[in-house]
Amino acid sequence: MVYYVAHRLFSAHDRALGARVAEHLAAEAGADAVFLPFCDTDEEDLVADVKGLRLYQLDTRRLGGLTGMIALLHGPSLDDGVCMEVGYAAALGVPVTILTTDFQTYDRAGRVPAWQFPDPLIEAVAHTVVRGSTLGPRTAAANRFAAFADRNESQIDAAVCHGVDALLHAPAPVRPAPKEQRGVYIEASPYTPDSGLLAAARSSGRPAHVSRRFTAGDPLGAAVEDWNLAAASCALVADVSGPETPPGAAILIGAAAARRQRVIAYQPRPAYTHAPGREPNWRNLMIQYASDLHATTLSDVTAGLES
């Protein structure tokens, strides 16, 4: 058994929450059955010729043999590395439990919430979503600030317990039967949907399909269709523009990497991140190294599909 805890790495709070989940999970499944990426790849002290690439290799090696995953996703801006890992695991038939303490839900019409995350694809690929969306009961702490902290702590504890329980009771992984792969799947940006990617793909002479879940009347149903169309394509072209790679694009890039499909990441305005001892990354390193080609123009996309 190997359980993977996927969480944002870029603040002490997120790393502490990931460790909290891992510790609770280890108490139930055993420490050797739990993989916590930043901790267990020794990321801060790792030395390698190309450190980001080495981290990607270590993490995807683990992703290829999982029993289950618990992924921490919070707020309207979802971590693209976590979403990539969710897609990788889901494509291999690994049950994924999504854990969130976010109280927001989402829809397009301003009425009844239709889905639980900014992108309905997350629900489409998750086995279970566990929401710890309300504060715990009031306590008799010495002051109101300590009382508020106590209510947050009990909210997190309850969410972690429910999330770990859901993960441990999930079914065993079942690898999906491979589909005949043909054509190109275009994952358009939710920010600039008319990016020209569909026309660029078709100009390569290949049949192409574009994501529909942000325009369809039934976003959740369309998310399942998007997932299936992407699985049946020989190549993925994903617009990764934005402050982070959009969550759906990150999920589909992870899935394509697991299925060994060709991935073209389109980002006309590259933005690099830097970390001590690591090469510059033009996106989250999991996105960067799962992509076969980084295209900055539509001509790059067409040429990449023709090659």
Side-chain angles (χ1 to χ4, degrees), residues 4 25 29-30 42 53 59 85 87 110-111 119 137 147 161 164 166 185 199 210 242 266 268 278 295 297:
Y4 192 106
L25 181 56
D42 198 18
L53 176 59
D59 286 350
E85 292 167 330
R111 296 189 296 273
D119 192 323
C161 288
V164 167
Y185 178 86
V210 69
Y266 175 64
R278 194 183 74 192
T297 68

Side-chain angles (χ1 to χ4, degrees), residues 49-127:
D49 291 338
V50 187
K51 182 174 178 177
L53 176 59
R54 183 58 181 155
L55 291 168
Y56 173 81
Q57 292 168 338
L58 292 170
D59 286 350
T60 51
R61 183 181 302 167
R62 293 281 188 166
L63 287 167
L66 298 183
T67 306
M69 171 183 285
I70 186 165
L72 312 185
L73 291 172
H74 308 276
S77 179
L78 301 176
D79 185 76
D80 46 5
V82 172
C83 289
M84 182 274 183
E85 292 167 330
V86 166
Y88 199 108
L92 297 178
V94 174
V96 178
T97 295
I98 306 292
L99 175 62
T100 183
T101 57
D102 188 3
F103 56 80
Q104 299 179 111
T105 52
Y106 302 84
D107 83 312
R108 262 204 318 268
R111 296 189 296 273
V112 178
W115 56 86
Q116 301 192 63
F117 297 95
D119 192 323
L121 187 62
I122 295 168
E123 282 177 81
V125 304
H127 176 264

